[in-house]
Structures are given as structure tokens and as C-alpha cells.
Amino acid sequence: MIVESRGERFAIPQISVVELVRARAGSPSQPGETQSESVIERINDTPVLRLRERLLPLVNLDRLLGLQPASGNAAAADTDTASTIVVAQVGPAQLGLIVDRVFDTEEIVVKPVAPLLRHIGMFSGNTILGDGSVIMILDPNGIARASGVADSREERESTHLPAVSSISADTERVAMLLFRAGDQGLKAVPLSLVARLEQLPRERIEYASGQPVTQYRGRLMRLLPMSGEIDPARTDVPVLVFSDHATNDGIERRMGLVVDEIVDVVEDRLQIELCHARDGILGTAVVAGRATDVIDTSVWLTRAEPGWFDHAASTLAEQGRRVLVVEDSAFFRQMIVPVLQAAGYSVTAVPDATRALALRDAGRMFDAIISDIEMPDMDGLSFVRAIRAGIAWTSLPVIALTGKLGERDVEIGREAGFTDYVGKGAREALLSSLRQCLSQNTDQPPETLQLVA
Amino acid sequence: MTTQTLAPPTTGSFADLAMSDQEDMFVSLTLADQLCGIPVLAVRDILGPHTITRIPLAPPEISGSLNLRGRIVTTIDLRCRLTLPPPPPGMKQMSVVVEQAGELYALLVDQVSEVMSLPRRQFERNPPTMKPEWARFSSGIYRLQDRLLAVLDVARLLDLSTAIK
């Protein structure tokens, strides 16, 4: 949903919008006044709204974001004009956002905010609207945190806090989409893997060869109901759209995972605590304080589109091979790990070289290592030098993952000890390089094999 | 609104400045009448005036985001970054798009002029008396025939933790 405050537009995720209320400022039940409109009241300086026998805490979006009034008249929007209140659900609590106008809803492609802006904490992403303009997507959770709904801090004081408190935010935090499908339990998928969220009306669901499909952006897209079937009683269903542009055949693969309900988008550490190889579930993690099943996207993708990872078709050589991924960016880890897993590798991922070396010192063994080059603290070059200088992992193939593919960079990398160089995001190149490295390694005389054991 | 693509993405670094006879290519631009240059290999695009969406609560150097053919690009106000006064009202600023760690950034400047090939022997280090707010972001000076060109260090410009003060 697109809202406007002080002449600037923002998007609010539709899933967190409960309802819209028209209200104006003033005191209630003045003589001769019709009661058709709700009235914003104040306690000291805190705006609240009576909504169905409850007090709803309100937040002025313009104050929260420090927006300057579009006109010179600062007080106008506060006291006289009727405003619209967007009632948003934040976890168990509700919060009213005072905005100037509400526009229509638009389909949104969530893109992560630039690294320079992540500390702000008020935005869950940004997107480009149909008219080509860029718009920031408000994060109701961030707003709740900043305005004290989440932890009853005082609003005024805390508007400055998020910048400070989240600046040190762990890079490990991952934005996750929470939803329900099939049973009552919460399920989660890393948001970065989801291309779009759609609310698909019943009449747009068609059947081809007994399988539900929909016409989506000019092409047919297969729908996969996570619970097994699409509830015929529903007028519309939420759909998680996955899309993937294969590097080798240029075909865009798409799939719509039909779920029962989209619950929230939260940012939390993705730490899978209970691992069970249940079908299509990676394991259970505590996300935003609640036990949540993290789905194994690759399983669902292949189920809908058996050829999804065809370009990554696994051969026996890959089965069960252990790969260590060292990558500081959570985003790239999320990109790489499912791809490798889908290709049949058993993957361990760590965010930095120190932790990778700790695994080595703890006696863990792998068949190959994939490492980022640009990392804080110990970079990939020092890391590979440390490996080559050690004993346990000395002869392992180490593939560099990097944005720098210049001749000199590759040269330096090879000198440091990297076996191969692959560009970031070049999924196919990574898989073929890995295949190559591993087959070379098995060709080698038993000394390597002894080390593996 | 004009958009022209300059160089294909390559890795731009000019670490070997000391090597004599070679020439380096720069995109020249002006900021409050000062001629500056950005290594052409770092430049992905040049943009005319664009609609920029302001980002509330962002640091003052960040003037907002713009849409570059479907990619969201964070825009850095170089005047603000270099502690120059804001541009005169009505000035249509242009931007130079650079890439860092897979992310695009648009550097807002007064005017982009041309691509220059400059011989390294005309290159000099920053004069020691240069104001720190400039010395921090300039990797050196080229002596042109009639003007001086300050080479801007893109990585430092984008590292907002390199504080102004």
C-alpha cells in the first residue's frame, strides 16, 4: 500500500495493514458534531485513537521520519486537516500510522536497501513503482521499535535510537518471510530468495494437465500449493513467486508457491537448531521468538519444475561431497548454499575466515572450499595462504568467489594458492569449477584420499 | 534526461601510479567550479538530472535513491560530501554512476565534461596544505595546461564512515 506524508511517498507491506481509519484532530463529542469520523486525541503530547473500545497508539509518520512540511505551515497537518490512519499489525500489537494520504496498492518487488542505509532500521527495502519512481518500503517492526510500541520506550527519545542501536547490527541477521501453509506452525523462507509476493484471485488460477497454473506476466507459471491443494473455498490465495534466470540457457524459470497466509517479514538470525530431514523443510529455527520451520526452497522449486536446477544437474561425483563456504555476506551465502545443496553437495557455511580456520583446527574435513576474497579482518588471500601453509587442508581445492576478475587479480589469487576463480553470482561457472576441482582431486594418488579420511 | 554508457564493467584500480609514461583516463567533472576527475574504469554511467527519492533519516550526504533502468541506485551529494555549499537554486546537477561491491552509487556533481587521457608525469600528490576535507577524498592532482584537476577517490567517497570532521 502506498501512503503519502508531507509530500513524500512510502510503501507499507500490505500484509501488515489491518485497516484504514479516517480521523481528524480535536476533542471528541463537541456539540453539534457528527460522530462519523474518529478523532485523534492526545495524552500529554502522545496521539491516540479510540478504536472499538480500545486505545490505539498512534505515530505521526512525518515526525518519526523527520520529514519537513511540504508547505511552510508546520502545525497544519497536525491539528486541522483530517488524516488517514493506517492500522498496522506488529507482532501481537497494533499501531496506527498517521499519514496524509493513502494511494492504491501496488505490486511490489522488494529489493534490499543499499548497505549505506541499512543502519536506519525504518525500512525493510525499497522498490520501483510503475511510474518509475523509487520508493522506500516502511518496516512496521522498525517503526514499532522506534516508536516504543515494541518495548514501551518513550517515542520522542527513541526516534533517535534505531540509528545507534542497530548500527552494530550483526551482519548475520537475515530478512525472513514468515507464513503458514498446511498446518498451524510458522514457516519461514529467506526474503531474498522470494522474487515477489502476490495475492492471486481464484479466477486467475487455471488447470493444465491437472496442475494449477496461472498466467503471470505474459507467461504460464506453475503453482505449487504447499499444503497439497488449493483450498477451493478461498477467493484469493497468497503466492510466493520464485524466479531464477539461468545463466546457461537464458530461460527464466518461475514458480509460485501457494501458501495459506503470509504472516510477517522479520529480520533475525537464521540459526537452524533442530535439523530434521523432513520433506522440504531444512529444520526449525527460532525466528522472532517463535519456533519456525525454515523451508528448503530447492526442494519446492524442483518439485514444481523438475528442471529447475537442470543446469546444475548433479552427477555421482557431487553426491555427499563436503564443501565449505566462507562468505561474509549473508545474502551471497543464501544464494550459494541452496544451489550447492541442490547439486548434491553437503554444505557448511561460515561468515569469516577465522571461523573456517577454527573448523580446520577442530579437525573438520572438507572436499573443497569456496571462499570470498573481499572480507573484513582476514581476506580470502590471507585465508588461502593460511590454508596452504597449514597441514590438514593444504591440498584441498579452494575456489575464489569474487567480483574482481581482472587478469592481475586472478594472477595474485593463483599465487596466493587459489585453485580457481569464479565471479560472484556466476552459479553455473561455480558448479562446473567445483566439479572440475573435485574430479582432479580424486584423480590424484592416495595421499589426498588419506587426508580426506 | 540523457544516459550514455561509457565503459563496460571492469575492475578499476590505479595502484601503479608511479609507472611513468602511461596515460590514465578520467571522466572530468566540476564541483563548485573546481575541476575533478574520476578514473574512467570506475564509472558505469553518466546521468542527466534524475528524479531522486529522498530517504528520511539518512546521513546528509545521501541525497536519496534513483531508478537507473530498474536498479535502485543510492545517490551521494558530492557537494555535501566535500563540505561545499549547496548548489545554486535551479542548477540541474548530473551524476556519475560508480559501482562498489556489486552496488551502484550515483555521485551528484555540478557538471560532467569529458573523458580525458592524462599522462602520469603530470600527476602530483596532494599539496600538504590542502584542506583535510579535500585531501581525504583526493588521491592527487593533475597539472593540466590551464587548470588543476583533483582526482577523486571513489572508495573513500563511498565510505561514509570516513567522516567529514
Side-chain angles (χ1 to χ4, degrees):
Chain A
M1 174 183 296
I2 314 295
V3 300
E4 186 184 86
S5 177
R6 306 276 175 176
E8 296 187 30
R9 295 190 294 171
F10 301 93
I12 302 178
Q14 192 70 31
I15 46 168
S16 41
V17 176
V18 180
E19 63 180 317
L20 297 176
V21 182
R22 286 286 286 175
R24 58 178 180 75
S27 52
S29 58
Q30 276 165 3
E33 191 179 272
T34 53
Q35 281 294 307
S36 60
E37 266 189 337
S38 307
V39 170
I40 299 173
E41 298 173 70
R42 280 168 198 282
I43 305 164
N44 192 8
D45 206 18
T46 309
V48 290
L49 181 81
R50 291 171 200 242
L51 186 69
R52 286 184 285 278
E53 312 300 317
R54 296 283 300 276
L55 277 186
L56 177 75
L58 298 181
V59 174
N60 257 314
L61 193 58
D62 54 353
R63 271 200 212 165
L64 183 72
L65 298 179
L67 300 178
Q68 298 303 312
S71 64
N73 197 350
D78 250 33
T79 52
D80 298 316
T81 338
S83 6
T84 303
I85 295 167
V86 179
V87 183
Q89 186 77 39
V90 188
Q94 290 197 340
L95 168 73
L97 279 177
I98 305 178
V99 301
D100 296 343
R101 283 175 73 184
V102 170
F103 297 94
D104 210 353
T105 56
E106 260 195 63
E107 175 188 287
I108 271 177
V109 187
V110 183
K111 303 190 180 202
V113 288
L116 281 180
L117 305 170
R118 289 208 181 123
H119 66 277
I120 298 175
M122 218 67 89
F123 307 110
S124 58
N126 47 18
T127 194
I128 296 172
L129 293 182
D131 64 2
S133 58
V134 178
I135 190 169
M136 301 303 292
I137 302 168
L138 292 170
D139 174 8
N141 290 299
I143 292 172
R145 267 196 303 277
S147 52
V149 172
D151 55 12
S152 71
R153 256 191 235 122
E154 210 179 286
E155 174 183 359
R156 193 148 310 210
E157 166 196 336
S158 59
T159 42
H160 302 292
L161 282 178
V164 183
S165 61
S166 57
I167 228 164
S168 60
D170 201 320
T171 50
E172 286 301 285
R173 292 178 83 83
V174 175
M176 271 172 291
L177 178 76
L178 298 183
F179 61 95
R180 280 185 230 276
D183 51 29
Q184 273 311 296
L186 277 177
K187 296 192 170 56
V189 59
L191 189 62
S192 57
L193 297 177
V194 181
R196 278 175 212 96
L197 299 178
E198 295 282 355
Q199 195 73 28
L200 198 64
R202 168 107 219 134
E203 60 270 18
R204 280 189 48 199
I205 303 176
E206 300 171 73
Y207 284 84
S209 327
Q211 302 288 328
V213 294
T214 188
Q215 295 176 31
Y216 188 69
R217 302 196 164 196
R219 281 183 44 205
L220 278 178
M221 177 172 79
R222 179 153 289 160
L223 295 174
L224 184 70
M226 208 169 168
S227 56
E229 56 181 1
I230 300 173
D231 184 354
R234 298 187 62 148
T235 51
D236 52 12
V237 288
V239 176
L240 279 48
V241 179
F242 294 87
S243 118
D244 178 37
H245 216 99
T247 42
N248 59 338
D249 53 13
I251 295 173
E252 193 195 354
R253 295 181 167 80
R254 289 164 171 174
M255 185 274 261
L257 192 63
V258 181
V259 301
D260 297 341
E261 180 195 1
I262 289 167
V263 179
D264 205 351
V265 173
V266 296
E267 222 177 68
D268 207 340
R269 288 178 186 78
L270 184 49
Q271 173 87 48
I272 294 179
E273 295 182 10
L274 294 174
C275 293
H276 30 238
R278 193 145 62 80
D279 213 13
I281 304 288
L282 280 177
T284 308
V286 175
V287 177
R290 295 160 81 182
T292 305
D293 284 342
V294 181
I295 67 162
D296 185 346
T297 326
S298 55
V299 168
W300 296 98
L301 295 180
T302 355
R303 201 170 288 179
E305 212 39 87
W308 192 287
F309 291 108
D310 259 7
H311 49 297
S314 59
T315 60
L316 280 177
E318 282 114 11
Q319 291 304 329
R321 292 303 199 98
R322 296 154 300 176
V323 177
L324 175 66
V325 175
V326 188
E327 165 66 68
D328 61 309
S329 144
F331 181 78
F332 276 107
R333 276 204 307 281
Q334 284 170 42
M335 300 264 293
I336 297 164
V337 173
V339 170
L340 294 176
Q341 283 172 338
Y345 295 103
S346 133
V347 187
T348 306
V350 291
D352 56 56
T354 320
R355 261 174 267 196
L357 291 175
L359 286 178
R360 178 190 67 177
D361 298 339
R364 289 282 300 274
M365 200 57 216
F366 297 91
D367 296 305
I369 299 171
I370 296 168
S371 172
D372 187 11
I373 293 218
E374 299 91 19
M375 290 188 289
D377 301 330
M378 184 187 268
D379 69 5
L381 295 171
S382 324
F383 173 54
V384 77
R385 283 188 201 113
I387 291 178
R388 296 303 178 217
I391 295 169
W393 291 358
T394 318
S395 56
L396 287 187
V398 185
I399 300 172
L401 208 59
T402 175
K404 287 190 177 172
L405 282 168
E407 225 166 278
R408 269 208 67 186
D409 300 311
V410 176
E411 184 82 356
I412 293 171
R414 285 214 195 273
E415 270 166 29
F418 279 111
T419 320
D420 203 358
Y421 244 68
V422 175
K424 271 195 178 178
R427 176 200 326 242
E428 178 57 22
L430 175 63
L431 288 171
S432 71
S433 159
L434 199 51
R435 263 196 298 271
Q436 211 175 338
C437 288
L438 285 171
S439 62
Q440 277 169 8
N441 226 27
T442 38
D443 291 344
Q444 273 174 20
E447 53 167 357
T448 329
L449 294 175
Q450 277 165 16
L451 282 171
V452 171
Chain B
M1 212 191 284
T2 56
T3 303
Q4 56 183 124
T5 307
L6 287 171
T10 10
T11 43
S13 138
F14 54 120
D16 310 316
L17 273 178
M19 289 164 66
S20 54
D21 263 359
Q22 270 172 287
E23 301 209 323
D24 284 304
M25 308 262 284
F26 292 92
V27 172
S28 67
L29 51 97
T30 48
L31 277 164
D33 294 326
Q34 170 62 51
L35 189 66
C36 301
I38 291 181
V40 79
L41 289 178
V43 176
R44 295 286 171 271
D45 224 325
I46 305 289
L47 305 177
H50 242 75
T51 315
I52 296 171
T53 303
R54 219 166 62 85
I55 301 165
L57 307 176
E61 303 91 323
I62 295 184
S63 48
S65 303
L66 58 83
N67 168 11
L68 174 63
R69 293 185 292 270
R71 281 188 74 170
I72 295 174
V73 179
T74 309
T75 309
I76 314 267
D77 181 351
L78 279 202
R79 273 193 178 243
C80 175
R81 191 79 178 111
L82 293 163
T83 57
L84 294 167
M91 175 185 267
K92 298 252 187 270
Q93 285 195 299
M94 299 176 74
S95 25
V96 177
V97 180
V98 296
E99 184 172 341
Q100 193 189 50
E103 197 75 31
L104 292 179
Y105 297 91
L107 306 174
L108 214 54
V109 302
D110 292 354
Q111 184 69 44
V112 178
S113 340
E114 56 184 322
V115 176
M116 292 178 167
S117 193
L118 301 175
R120 285 188 184 168
R121 61 192 142 72
Q122 292 181 8
F123 183 78
E124 255 178 62
R125 293 164 58 149
N126 291 330
T129 47
M130 199 177 202
K131 276 193 191 167
E133 54 263 42
W134 270 77
R136 201 164 284 139
F137 301 116
S138 161
S139 41
I141 307 291
Y142 272 97
R143 289 170 277 112
L144 307 191
Q145 208 152 29
D146 48 351
R147 308 176 72 172
L148 295 175
L149 177 143
V151 178
L152 297 178
D153 183 330
V154 173
R156 288 195 150 192
L157 286 172
L158 295 183
D159 180 11
L160 292 195
S161 60
T162 312
I164 295 174
K165 292 219 165 72

